[in-house]
Amino acid sequence: MTAKTIVMETDELYQTAAKLFVRIAATSATKRGAFCVALSGGSTPKRLYSLLASQYSGAIPWENTHIFFSDERCVPPEDPESNFGMVRDSLLSRVPIRNENVHRIQGELDPLLGAERYSEVISQLFEHAPGQPPAFDLILLGMGEDGHTASIFPGSPLVHESDRLVAETFVEKLGAYRITLNPSVLTHARNVVFLVTGEEKSEALQLALKGEYDPDRCPTHILRQAEGKVTWLVDPAAASKLFSRSD
Ligand code: 6PG
């Protein structure tokens, strides 16, 4: 695994993220005939998706791109909380991608069934060696103020899940169910890109990047076991506690 952290002003950060997305997409489509990417939810990536739908759309091989999701809230796609709904509105509805190339997590189903269905979709679509999890070309991730990523939250048994590719989880602090890719899939991706902005993430980012390995406390530490490239794209506000005077 190679990991790097790039700190840059927010506007430049989203441009860099878009260029990295395009580069990975083009390389994957050329080398393997397809670009399989899992998109993160939340609010941070919206600006990236809007850039991909406008300024960078012409550089993305939509014909050979397959869109997946890192996680989903257990709500219907029309719900304002839906990650799929956010990606549909900011990206998918604005680019020439076929519906059959978009593989959403069915958040409207019973959580266990939704997780099982998504696991089946991934297993059917990915050609992966027996016993090996699928290798996404890119997984986009965010990070919560508590250090969660995808929908793997501090203290969750999913931190140590090693069998299932996808799982449902009840998030106590949210009082809601989520469906998420599990660590084996996250760590098997060729490329992982974290997008983290804002002062409110600075404590968690310091723990994520500088703290002693403790994935139960900080689930982003799971990605310290990543087999591929991990890139952290962060703005100065989020990075404000990274370079303390003692360094
Ligand atoms: C979700 C995401 C989650 C998100 C972080 C950061 O469904 O919300 O998958 O992991 O990336 O909570 O969210 P923000 O970008 O909104 O701060």
Side-chain angles (χ1 to χ4, degrees), residues 45-105:
K46 282 182 191 170
R47 276 184 63 180
L48 169 60
Y49 301 152
S50 291
L51 278 176
L52 297 178
S54 51
Q55 186 178 341
Y56 292 90
S57 180
I60 297 167
W62 295 112
E63 180 67 20
N64 298 318
T65 294
H66 285 266
I67 300 281
F68 297 81
F69 294 80
S70 307
D71 64 329
E72 184 58 275
R73 292 83 181 274
C74 289
V75 296
E78 303 73 31
D79 190 296
E81 278 294 299
S82 168
N83 285 336
F84 168 77
M86 180 272 287
V87 173
R88 176 197 59 215
D89 297 343
S90 56
L91 175 61
L92 303 177
S93 59
R94 302 165 59 192
V95 295
I97 190 165
R98 295 198 304 258
N99 289 336
E100 55 266 34
N101 283 26
V102 179
H103 314 286
R104 74 177 179 90
I105 300 172

Short mmCIF file of all heavy atoms in Angstrom, two decimals, residues 45-105:
data_model
loop_
_atom_site.label_atom_id
_atom_site.label_comp_id
_atom_site.label_asym_id
_atom_site.label_seq_id
_atom_site.Cartn_x
_atom_site.Cartn_y
_atom_site.Cartn_z
N PRO A 45 -18.55 15.16 -1.32
CA PRO A 45 -18.23 14.86 -2.73
C PRO A 45 -19.15 15.52 -3.75
O PRO A 45 -18.90 15.42 -4.95
CB PRO A 45 -18.34 13.34 -2.80
CG PRO A 45 -19.23 12.93 -1.69
CD PRO A 45 -19.16 13.98 -0.65
N LYS A 46 -20.21 16.23 -3.31
CA LYS A 46 -21.16 16.80 -4.29
C LYS A 46 -20.46 17.69 -5.31
O LYS A 46 -20.74 17.62 -6.51
CB LYS A 46 -22.24 17.62 -3.57
CG LYS A 46 -23.33 16.79 -2.90
CD LYS A 46 -24.36 17.71 -2.25
CE LYS A 46 -25.32 16.94 -1.37
NZ LYS A 46 -26.17 17.85 -0.56
N ARG A 47 -19.54 18.52 -4.82
CA ARG A 47 -18.85 19.44 -5.74
C ARG A 47 -18.00 18.68 -6.74
O ARG A 47 -17.88 19.07 -7.91
CB ARG A 47 -17.96 20.41 -4.95
CG ARG A 47 -18.71 21.62 -4.42
CD ARG A 47 -17.79 22.60 -3.74
NE ARG A 47 -16.79 23.18 -4.64
CZ ARG A 47 -15.87 24.07 -4.23
NH1 ARG A 47 -15.83 24.45 -2.96
NH2 ARG A 47 -14.99 24.56 -5.08
N LEU A 48 -17.45 17.55 -6.30
CA LEU A 48 -16.68 16.72 -7.24
C LEU A 48 -17.60 16.17 -8.31
O LEU A 48 -17.31 16.23 -9.51
CB LEU A 48 -15.99 15.58 -6.50
CG LEU A 48 -15.37 14.48 -7.38
CD1 LEU A 48 -14.31 15.05 -8.33
CD2 LEU A 48 -14.79 13.36 -6.51
N TYR A 49 -18.75 15.63 -7.88
CA TYR A 49 -19.68 15.04 -8.86
C TYR A 49 -20.17 16.09 -9.86
O TYR A 49 -20.31 15.81 -11.04
CB TYR A 49 -20.85 14.38 -8.12
CG TYR A 49 -20.43 13.29 -7.15
CD1 TYR A 49 -21.17 12.99 -6.03
CD2 TYR A 49 -19.24 12.56 -7.36
CE1 TYR A 49 -20.79 11.99 -5.13
CE2 TYR A 49 -18.84 11.57 -6.47
CZ TYR A 49 -19.61 11.29 -5.36
OH TYR A 49 -19.21 10.33 -4.47
N SER A 50 -20.39 17.29 -9.38
CA SER A 50 -20.81 18.36 -10.31
C SER A 50 -19.72 18.68 -11.32
O SER A 50 -20.01 18.89 -12.50
CB SER A 50 -21.18 19.63 -9.52
OG SER A 50 -22.35 19.40 -8.77
N LEU A 51 -18.46 18.67 -10.88
CA LEU A 51 -17.35 18.90 -11.82
C LEU A 51 -17.26 17.76 -12.85
O LEU A 51 -17.06 17.99 -14.04
CB LEU A 51 -16.03 18.98 -11.06
CG LEU A 51 -15.66 20.31 -10.41
CD1 LEU A 51 -14.35 20.15 -9.63
CD2 LEU A 51 -15.52 21.43 -11.46
N LEU A 52 -17.45 16.53 -12.38
CA LEU A 52 -17.39 15.38 -13.29
C LEU A 52 -18.53 15.42 -14.32
O LEU A 52 -18.38 14.95 -15.46
CB LEU A 52 -17.45 14.07 -12.50
CG LEU A 52 -16.31 13.80 -11.52
CD1 LEU A 52 -16.54 12.50 -10.77
CD2 LEU A 52 -14.96 13.77 -12.25
N ALA A 53 -19.63 16.04 -13.92
CA ALA A 53 -20.79 16.12 -14.82
C ALA A 53 -20.68 17.29 -15.79
O ALA A 53 -21.41 17.37 -16.78
CB ALA A 53 -22.07 16.29 -13.99
N SER A 54 -19.75 18.18 -15.53
CA SER A 54 -19.65 19.37 -16.39
C SER A 54 -18.26 19.45 -17.03
O SER A 54 -18.01 18.85 -18.06
CB SER A 54 -19.96 20.63 -15.56
OG SER A 54 -19.16 20.65 -14.36
N GLN A 55 -17.35 20.11 -16.37
CA GLN A 55 -16.02 20.40 -16.92
C GLN A 55 -15.28 19.14 -17.36
O GLN A 55 -14.53 19.17 -18.34
CB GLN A 55 -15.20 21.13 -15.85
CG GLN A 55 -13.85 21.63 -16.28
CD GLN A 55 -13.15 22.38 -15.14
OE1 GLN A 55 -13.79 22.83 -14.16
NE2 GLN A 55 -11.85 22.50 -15.24
N TYR A 56 -15.47 17.99 -16.69
CA TYR A 56 -14.65 16.80 -16.97
C TYR A 56 -15.43 15.68 -17.64
O TYR A 56 -14.88 14.62 -17.94
CB TYR A 56 -14.04 16.29 -15.66
CG TYR A 56 -13.00 17.24 -15.10
CD1 TYR A 56 -13.36 18.25 -14.21
CD2 TYR A 56 -11.67 17.16 -15.49
CE1 TYR A 56 -12.42 19.15 -13.73
CE2 TYR A 56 -10.72 18.04 -15.01
CZ TYR A 56 -11.11 19.05 -14.12
OH TYR A 56 -10.17 19.94 -13.65
N SER A 57 -16.71 15.90 -17.91
CA SER A 57 -17.54 14.80 -18.44
C SER A 57 -16.98 14.21 -19.73
O SER A 57 -16.93 12.98 -19.89
CB SER A 57 -18.97 15.31 -18.69
OG SER A 57 -19.76 14.25 -19.20
N GLY A 58 -16.49 15.06 -20.61
CA GLY A 58 -16.01 14.59 -21.92
C GLY A 58 -14.77 13.71 -21.83
O GLY A 58 -14.45 12.98 -22.76
N ALA A 59 -14.10 13.74 -20.67
CA ALA A 59 -12.84 12.97 -20.53
C ALA A 59 -13.08 11.61 -19.87
O ALA A 59 -12.15 10.84 -19.65
CB ALA A 59 -11.85 13.78 -19.71
N ILE A 60 -14.34 11.34 -19.53
CA ILE A 60 -14.64 10.09 -18.81
C ILE A 60 -15.28 9.08 -19.76
O ILE A 60 -16.22 9.42 -20.48
CB ILE A 60 -15.56 10.38 -17.60
CG1 ILE A 60 -14.82 11.29 -16.60
CG2 ILE A 60 -16.00 9.08 -16.91
CD1 ILE A 60 -15.71 11.90 -15.53
N PRO A 61 -14.78 7.84 -19.79
CA PRO A 61 -15.33 6.81 -20.70
C PRO A 61 -16.64 6.24 -20.17
O PRO A 61 -16.72 5.12 -19.69
CB PRO A 61 -14.22 5.76 -20.71
CG PRO A 61 -13.58 5.86 -19.37
CD PRO A 61 -13.64 7.30 -19.00
N TRP A 62 -17.71 7.04 -20.25
CA TRP A 62 -19.00 6.64 -19.62
C TRP A 62 -19.49 5.29 -20.14
O TRP A 62 -20.10 4.52 -19.41
CB TRP A 62 -20.05 7.72 -19.84
CG TRP A 62 -19.71 9.02 -19.17
CD1 TRP A 62 -19.39 10.22 -19.77
CD2 TRP A 62 -19.63 9.27 -17.76
NE1 TRP A 62 -19.12 11.17 -18.83
CE2 TRP A 62 -19.26 10.61 -17.59
CE3 TRP A 62 -19.83 8.47 -16.62
CZ2 TRP A 62 -19.10 11.20 -16.33
CZ3 TRP A 62 -19.67 9.03 -15.37
CH2 TRP A 62 -19.30 10.39 -15.24
N GLU A 63 -19.19 5.01 -21.42
CA GLU A 63 -19.65 3.75 -22.04
C GLU A 63 -19.15 2.54 -21.25
O GLU A 63 -19.81 1.53 -21.12
CB GLU A 63 -19.13 3.70 -23.49
CG GLU A 63 -19.51 2.45 -24.27
CD GLU A 63 -21.01 2.36 -24.56
OE1 GLU A 63 -21.69 3.41 -24.49
OE2 GLU A 63 -21.50 1.24 -24.79
N ASN A 64 -17.92 2.69 -20.73
CA ASN A 64 -17.28 1.55 -20.02
C ASN A 64 -17.18 1.77 -18.52
O ASN A 64 -16.40 1.10 -17.84
CB ASN A 64 -15.87 1.31 -20.59
CG ASN A 64 -15.93 0.95 -22.06
OD1 ASN A 64 -16.79 0.19 -22.49
ND2 ASN A 64 -15.06 1.56 -22.86
N THR A 65 -17.94 2.74 -18.03
CA THR A 65 -17.89 3.05 -16.59
C THR A 65 -19.05 2.39 -15.86
O THR A 65 -20.19 2.45 -16.33
CB THR A 65 -17.96 4.58 -16.38
OG1 THR A 65 -16.77 5.17 -16.93
CG2 THR A 65 -18.06 4.94 -14.90
N HIS A 66 -18.73 1.75 -14.75
CA HIS A 66 -19.76 1.15 -13.89
C HIS A 66 -19.72 1.85 -12.53
O HIS A 66 -18.66 1.86 -11.88
CB HIS A 66 -19.53 -0.36 -13.74
CG HIS A 66 -19.91 -1.12 -14.97
ND1 HIS A 66 -21.16 -1.69 -15.12
CD2 HIS A 66 -19.23 -1.36 -16.11
CE1 HIS A 66 -21.22 -2.26 -16.31
NE2 HIS A 66 -20.08 -2.08 -16.94
N ILE A 67 -20.87 2.41 -12.17
CA ILE A 67 -20.97 3.18 -10.94
C ILE A 67 -21.57 2.30 -9.83
O ILE A 67 -22.64 1.71 -10.02
CB ILE A 67 -21.87 4.42 -11.13
CG1 ILE A 67 -21.33 5.34 -12.22
CG2 ILE A 67 -22.09 5.15 -9.80
CD1 ILE A 67 -20.19 6.24 -11.82
N PHE A 68 -20.86 2.22 -8.74
CA PHE A 68 -21.34 1.55 -7.53
C PHE A 68 -21.33 2.57 -6.40
O PHE A 68 -21.00 3.73 -6.60
CB PHE A 68 -20.42 0.36 -7.18
CG PHE A 68 -20.37 -0.72 -8.24
CD1 PHE A 68 -19.56 -0.60 -9.35
CD2 PHE A 68 -21.12 -1.88 -8.09
CE1 PHE A 68 -19.51 -1.61 -10.33
CE2 PHE A 68 -21.06 -2.89 -9.06
CZ PHE A 68 -20.27 -2.75 -10.17
N PHE A 69 -21.66 2.12 -5.20
CA PHE A 69 -21.73 3.02 -4.05
C PHE A 69 -21.00 2.40 -2.86
O PHE A 69 -21.10 1.19 -2.63
CB PHE A 69 -23.20 3.31 -3.71
CG PHE A 69 -23.87 4.09 -4.82
CD1 PHE A 69 -24.33 3.46 -5.96
CD2 PHE A 69 -23.99 5.47 -4.73
CE1 PHE A 69 -24.91 4.17 -7.00
CE2 PHE A 69 -24.57 6.20 -5.77
CZ PHE A 69 -25.02 5.54 -6.92
N SER A 70 -20.27 3.24 -2.13
CA SER A 70 -19.53 2.74 -0.96
C SER A 70 -20.50 2.35 0.15
O SER A 70 -20.22 1.43 0.93
CB SER A 70 -18.58 3.83 -0.44
OG SER A 70 -17.77 4.32 -1.49
N ASP A 71 -21.62 3.07 0.23
CA ASP A 71 -22.61 2.75 1.24
C ASP A 71 -23.91 3.47 0.90
O ASP A 71 -23.95 4.29 -0.02
CB ASP A 71 -22.13 3.13 2.65
CG ASP A 71 -21.94 4.63 2.80
OD1 ASP A 71 -21.60 5.30 1.82
OD2 ASP A 71 -22.15 5.14 3.91
N GLU A 72 -24.95 3.16 1.66
CA GLU A 72 -26.25 3.78 1.40
C GLU A 72 -27.05 3.84 2.69
O GLU A 72 -26.88 2.97 3.58
CB GLU A 72 -27.02 3.01 0.35
CG GLU A 72 -28.37 3.62 -0.07
CD GLU A 72 -28.23 5.03 -0.62
OE1 GLU A 72 -28.22 5.97 0.20
OE2 GLU A 72 -28.13 5.20 -1.83
N ARG A 73 -27.83 4.88 2.79
CA ARG A 73 -28.76 4.95 3.90
C ARG A 73 -29.95 4.06 3.53
O ARG A 73 -30.32 3.97 2.37
CB ARG A 73 -29.22 6.39 4.12
CG ARG A 73 -28.12 7.33 4.62
CD ARG A 73 -27.24 7.84 3.50
NE ARG A 73 -26.17 8.72 3.93
CZ ARG A 73 -26.31 10.04 4.11
NH1 ARG A 73 -27.47 10.59 3.93
NH2 ARG A 73 -25.27 10.78 4.50
N CYS A 74 -30.57 3.43 4.53
CA CYS A 74 -31.70 2.51 4.25
C CYS A 74 -32.99 3.32 4.09
O CYS A 74 -33.86 3.35 4.98
CB CYS A 74 -31.82 1.45 5.33
SG CYS A 74 -30.45 0.27 5.22
N VAL A 75 -33.04 4.01 2.97
CA VAL A 75 -34.20 4.84 2.60
C VAL A 75 -34.43 4.65 1.10
O VAL A 75 -33.54 4.23 0.38
CB VAL A 75 -33.93 6.33 2.91
CG1 VAL A 75 -33.76 6.58 4.40
CG2 VAL A 75 -32.71 6.84 2.13
N PRO A 76 -35.63 5.01 0.61
CA PRO A 76 -35.87 4.92 -0.83
C PRO A 76 -35.04 5.95 -1.59
O PRO A 76 -34.62 6.96 -1.00
CB PRO A 76 -37.36 5.23 -0.96
CG PRO A 76 -37.93 5.14 0.42
CD PRO A 76 -36.82 5.40 1.38
N PRO A 77 -34.82 5.74 -2.88
CA PRO A 77 -33.98 6.67 -3.66
C PRO A 77 -34.52 8.09 -3.73
O PRO A 77 -33.77 9.02 -3.97
CB PRO A 77 -33.92 6.03 -5.05
CG PRO A 77 -34.91 4.94 -5.07
CD PRO A 77 -35.24 4.58 -3.68
N GLU A 78 -35.83 8.25 -3.48
CA GLU A 78 -36.42 9.61 -3.54
C GLU A 78 -36.20 10.36 -2.24
O GLU A 78 -36.43 11.58 -2.16
CB GLU A 78 -37.93 9.55 -3.83
CG GLU A 78 -38.33 8.82 -5.11
CD GLU A 78 -38.18 7.31 -4.98
OE1 GLU A 78 -38.34 6.79 -3.85
OE2 GLU A 78 -37.84 6.67 -6.00
N ASP A 79 -35.77 9.64 -1.20
CA ASP A 79 -35.58 10.28 0.11
C ASP A 79 -34.41 11.26 0.07
O ASP A 79 -33.36 10.94 -0.51
CB ASP A 79 -35.33 9.20 1.17
CG ASP A 79 -35.36 9.74 2.59
OD1 ASP A 79 -34.49 10.58 2.92
OD2 ASP A 79 -36.24 9.33 3.36
N PRO A 80 -34.53 12.45 0.65
CA PRO A 80 -33.42 13.42 0.65
C PRO A 80 -32.13 12.87 1.26
O PRO A 80 -31.06 13.36 0.99
CB PRO A 80 -33.96 14.58 1.49
CG PRO A 80 -35.45 14.42 1.51
CD PRO A 80 -35.73 12.96 1.32
N GLU A 81 -32.26 11.82 2.07
CA GLU A 81 -31.08 11.23 2.71
C GLU A 81 -30.34 10.26 1.78
O GLU A 81 -29.24 9.80 2.10
CB GLU A 81 -31.52 10.45 3.97
CG GLU A 81 -31.72 11.33 5.20
CD GLU A 81 -30.40 11.95 5.69
OE1 GLU A 81 -29.50 11.18 6.05
OE2 GLU A 81 -30.29 13.19 5.64
N SER A 82 -30.96 9.92 0.65
CA SER A 82 -30.39 8.86 -0.20
C SER A 82 -29.08 9.28 -0.87
O SER A 82 -29.02 10.32 -1.55
CB SER A 82 -31.41 8.49 -1.30
OG SER A 82 -30.80 7.69 -2.30
N ASN A 83 -28.04 8.48 -0.70
CA ASN A 83 -26.78 8.76 -1.39
C ASN A 83 -26.96 8.61 -2.90
O ASN A 83 -26.43 9.40 -3.70
CB ASN A 83 -25.66 7.83 -0.91
CG ASN A 83 -25.15 8.21 0.46
OD1 ASN A 83 -25.27 9.36 0.87
ND2 ASN A 83 -24.58 7.26 1.17
N PHE A 84 -27.74 7.59 -3.28
CA PHE A 84 -27.99 7.41 -4.72
C PHE A 84 -28.69 8.65 -5.28
O PHE A 84 -28.34 9.17 -6.33
CB PHE A 84 -28.86 6.18 -4.98
CG PHE A 84 -29.38 6.14 -6.40
CD1 PHE A 84 -28.55 5.74 -7.44
CD2 PHE A 84 -30.68 6.54 -6.70
CE1 PHE A 84 -29.00 5.74 -8.75
CE2 PHE A 84 -31.14 6.54 -8.02
CZ PHE A 84 -30.30 6.13 -9.04
N GLY A 85 -29.68 9.15 -4.51
CA GLY A 85 -30.42 10.33 -4.98
C GLY A 85 -29.49 11.53 -5.17
O GLY A 85 -29.58 12.25 -6.17
N MET A 86 -28.56 11.70 -4.25
CA MET A 86 -27.60 12.82 -4.36
C MET A 86 -26.72 12.63 -5.58
O MET A 86 -26.50 13.58 -6.35
CB MET A 86 -26.76 12.86 -3.07
CG MET A 86 -25.71 13.94 -3.00
SD MET A 86 -24.10 13.48 -3.73
CE MET A 86 -23.50 12.35 -2.49
N VAL A 87 -26.23 11.42 -5.82
CA VAL A 87 -25.35 11.17 -6.97
C VAL A 87 -26.15 11.28 -8.27
O VAL A 87 -25.67 11.82 -9.28
CB VAL A 87 -24.67 9.79 -6.84
CG1 VAL A 87 -23.90 9.44 -8.10
CG2 VAL A 87 -23.76 9.74 -5.62
N ARG A 88 -27.40 10.80 -8.26
CA ARG A 88 -28.25 10.92 -9.46
C ARG A 88 -28.41 12.39 -9.83
O ARG A 88 -28.21 12.78 -10.99
CB ARG A 88 -29.62 10.30 -9.19
CG ARG A 88 -30.63 10.44 -10.32
CD ARG A 88 -32.04 10.17 -9.82
NE ARG A 88 -32.38 11.10 -8.74
CZ ARG A 88 -33.14 10.79 -7.69
NH1 ARG A 88 -33.62 9.56 -7.56
NH2 ARG A 88 -33.39 11.67 -6.76
N ASP A 89 -28.72 13.23 -8.83
CA ASP A 89 -29.01 14.64 -9.12
C ASP A 89 -27.75 15.43 -9.49
O ASP A 89 -27.80 16.31 -10.34
CB ASP A 89 -29.69 15.29 -7.90
CG ASP A 89 -31.04 14.63 -7.60
OD1 ASP A 89 -31.57 13.92 -8.49
OD2 ASP A 89 -31.54 14.81 -6.47
N SER A 90 -26.61 15.10 -8.84
CA SER A 90 -25.39 15.91 -9.08
C SER A 90 -24.56 15.38 -10.24
O SER A 90 -23.76 16.10 -10.81
CB SER A 90 -24.53 15.94 -7.80
OG SER A 90 -24.21 14.63 -7.38
N LEU A 91 -24.78 14.10 -10.62
CA LEU A 91 -23.91 13.51 -11.64
C LEU A 91 -24.69 12.69 -12.69
O LEU A 91 -24.73 13.03 -13.86
CB LEU A 91 -22.86 12.62 -10.97
CG LEU A 91 -21.93 11.81 -11.87
CD1 LEU A 91 -21.09 12.73 -12.77
CD2 LEU A 91 -21.02 10.90 -11.04
N LEU A 92 -25.33 11.62 -12.24
CA LEU A 92 -25.85 10.63 -13.21
C LEU A 92 -26.88 11.19 -14.17
O LEU A 92 -26.93 10.80 -15.34
CB LEU A 92 -26.42 9.43 -12.44
CG LEU A 92 -25.45 8.73 -11.49
CD1 LEU A 92 -26.16 7.62 -10.73
CD2 LEU A 92 -24.23 8.21 -12.24
N SER A 93 -27.69 12.10 -13.70
CA SER A 93 -28.74 12.67 -14.56
C SER A 93 -28.16 13.64 -15.59
O SER A 93 -28.87 14.13 -16.47
CB SER A 93 -29.75 13.44 -13.70
OG SER A 93 -29.07 14.48 -12.98
N ARG A 94 -26.85 13.91 -15.49
CA ARG A 94 -26.24 14.94 -16.35
C ARG A 94 -25.18 14.37 -17.29
O ARG A 94 -24.53 15.11 -18.01
CB ARG A 94 -25.64 16.04 -15.47
CG ARG A 94 -26.66 16.71 -14.53
CD ARG A 94 -26.01 17.52 -13.44
NE ARG A 94 -25.15 18.58 -13.97
CZ ARG A 94 -24.30 19.26 -13.21
NH1 ARG A 94 -24.14 18.97 -11.92
NH2 ARG A 94 -23.56 20.25 -13.74
N VAL A 95 -24.99 13.02 -17.26
CA VAL A 95 -23.94 12.45 -18.12
C VAL A 95 -24.52 11.28 -18.93
O VAL A 95 -25.54 10.69 -18.53
CB VAL A 95 -22.74 11.96 -17.26
CG1 VAL A 95 -22.07 13.15 -16.57
CG2 VAL A 95 -23.15 10.89 -16.27
N PRO A 96 -23.85 10.90 -20.03
CA PRO A 96 -24.39 9.84 -20.92
C PRO A 96 -24.03 8.44 -20.45
O PRO A 96 -23.31 7.71 -21.11
CB PRO A 96 -23.73 10.17 -22.27
CG PRO A 96 -22.42 10.79 -21.89
CD PRO A 96 -22.68 11.58 -20.64
N ILE A 97 -24.50 8.07 -19.25
CA ILE A 97 -24.24 6.73 -18.73
C ILE A 97 -25.53 5.92 -18.80
O ILE A 97 -26.61 6.43 -18.54
CB ILE A 97 -23.69 6.77 -17.28
CG1 ILE A 97 -23.19 5.39 -16.86
CG2 ILE A 97 -24.71 7.32 -16.29
CD1 ILE A 97 -22.32 5.41 -15.61
N ARG A 98 -25.38 4.65 -19.24
CA ARG A 98 -26.58 3.80 -19.35
C ARG A 98 -27.05 3.40 -17.96
O ARG A 98 -26.25 3.18 -17.05
CB ARG A 98 -26.23 2.54 -20.16
CG ARG A 98 -25.86 2.78 -21.62
CD ARG A 98 -26.00 1.47 -22.40
NE ARG A 98 -25.17 0.43 -21.78
CZ ARG A 98 -23.98 0.04 -22.27
NH1 ARG A 98 -23.49 0.62 -23.36
NH2 ARG A 98 -23.28 -0.90 -21.68
N ASN A 99 -28.35 3.28 -17.82
CA ASN A 99 -28.92 2.88 -16.52
C ASN A 99 -28.35 1.55 -16.04
O ASN A 99 -28.10 1.37 -14.85
CB ASN A 99 -30.45 2.77 -16.61
CG ASN A 99 -31.12 4.13 -16.75
OD1 ASN A 99 -30.52 5.15 -16.35
ND2 ASN A 99 -32.30 4.15 -17.34
N GLU A 100 -28.10 0.64 -17.00
CA GLU A 100 -27.60 -0.69 -16.57
C GLU A 100 -26.16 -0.63 -16.07
O GLU A 100 -25.65 -1.60 -15.52
CB GLU A 100 -27.75 -1.72 -17.69
CG GLU A 100 -27.13 -1.36 -19.01
CD GLU A 100 -28.14 -0.70 -19.95
OE1 GLU A 100 -29.01 0.03 -19.44
OE2 GLU A 100 -28.01 -0.89 -21.17
N ASN A 101 -25.52 0.50 -16.24
CA ASN A 101 -24.15 0.67 -15.71
C ASN A 101 -24.15 1.30 -14.32
O ASN A 101 -23.09 1.58 -13.76
CB ASN A 101 -23.30 1.55 -16.65
CG ASN A 101 -22.85 0.78 -17.88
OD1 ASN A 101 -23.50 -0.18 -18.30
ND2 ASN A 101 -21.73 1.20 -18.47
N VAL A 102 -25.33 1.57 -13.80
CA VAL A 102 -25.43 2.18 -12.47
C VAL A 102 -26.01 1.13 -11.52
O VAL A 102 -27.11 0.62 -11.74
CB VAL A 102 -26.33 3.43 -12.49
CG1 VAL A 102 -26.45 4.03 -11.09
CG2 VAL A 102 -25.76 4.47 -13.47
N HIS A 103 -25.25 0.81 -10.49
CA HIS A 103 -25.61 -0.28 -9.59
C HIS A 103 -25.84 0.28 -8.19
O HIS A 103 -24.92 0.38 -7.38
CB HIS A 103 -24.50 -1.33 -9.60
CG HIS A 103 -24.03 -1.67 -10.98
ND1 HIS A 103 -24.78 -2.43 -11.84
CD2 HIS A 103 -22.94 -1.27 -11.67
CE1 HIS A 103 -24.14 -2.52 -13.01
NE2 HIS A 103 -23.03 -1.82 -12.94
N ARG A 104 -27.09 0.68 -7.96
CA ARG A 104 -27.37 1.32 -6.67
C ARG A 104 -27.66 0.27 -5.61
O ARG A 104 -28.10 -0.85 -5.93
CB ARG A 104 -28.54 2.31 -6.79
CG ARG A 104 -29.90 1.68 -6.91
CD ARG A 104 -31.01 2.73 -6.94
NE ARG A 104 -32.31 2.09 -7.08
CZ ARG A 104 -33.06 1.70 -6.03
NH1 ARG A 104 -32.63 1.89 -4.80
NH2 ARG A 104 -34.22 1.11 -6.22
N ILE A 105 -27.44 0.64 -4.38
CA ILE A 105 -27.82 -0.20 -3.25
C ILE A 105 -29.30 0.05 -3.01
O ILE A 105 -29.74 1.20 -2.91
CB ILE A 105 -27.00 0.18 -2.00
CG1 ILE A 105 -25.49 0.00 -2.25
CG2 ILE A 105 -27.45 -0.65 -0.80
CD1 ILE A 105 -24.59 0.52 -1.13
#
